[in-house]
Amino acid sequence: MTEKWTPASAADGVEQVLKILEGKWKLVILFHLFGGQVKRFSELEKAIPAITQKMLIQQLRQMEADGIVTRTIYHQVPPKVEYRLTDWGQELCPALDALLKWAENKK
């Protein structure tokens, strides 16, 4: 299905996307989950050492609420929580790849 974008609808669409992806850490978290990777919370903490635990929790919860990330809780001792991208979240990969290539061209 091809949608015809007008300047106003495109601007609205970009604004909606930016609201979903806003925040210093969401894109970093996404890159760690691309390719079908499944990460435990502690693995994400280690992979992104500059983020606080509180901020990581907040960003993951927002991404889960937006349908980008799914969280699986294993009821065991000690508790185990895993994060992965939803199919919709995984669809962001080519777009973010294009952004990286675009940024690389500036160099």
Side-chain angles (χ1 to χ4, degrees):
M1 174 174 125
T2 304
E3 185 172 332
K4 176 120 172 125
W5 293 96
T6 66
S9 66
D12 288 344
V14 168
E15 188 175 339
Q16 290 172 9
V17 168
L18 290 176
K19 282 182 183 177
I20 291 171
L21 297 177
E22 74 183 342
K24 179 178 179 179
W25 299 106
K26 286 184 181 176
L27 293 177
V28 176
I29 294 166
L30 285 172
F31 278 107
H32 286 284
L33 295 175
F34 277 142
Q37 293 187 67
V38 178
K39 298 274 187 182
R40 292 179 70 168
F41 183 83
S42 60
E43 291 175 312
L44 287 169
E45 275 186 307
K46 288 176 188 164
I48 314 167
I51 193 171
T52 65
Q53 187 178 62
K54 179 181 176 182
M55 181 59 68
L56 181 57
I57 291 167
Q58 180 183 355
Q59 298 286 276
L60 285 166
R61 286 191 179 154
Q62 287 175 357
M63 290 168 49
E64 184 181 12
D66 288 332
I68 297 171
V69 169
T70 185
R71 175 176 54 152
T72 304
I73 302 168
Y74 297 92
H75 298 286
Q76 62 186 45
V77 178
K80 179 179 166 183
V81 180
E82 292 180 338
Y83 294 90
R84 72 179 45 110
L85 293 178
T86 61
D87 290 342
W88 187 61
Q90 192 64 42
E91 289 175 13
L92 281 167
C93 189
L96 294 178
D97 225 17
L99 281 175
L100 282 175
K101 287 177 185 167
W102 173 77
E104 210 172 72
N105 288 334
K106 184 180 186 286
K107 294 179 183 176

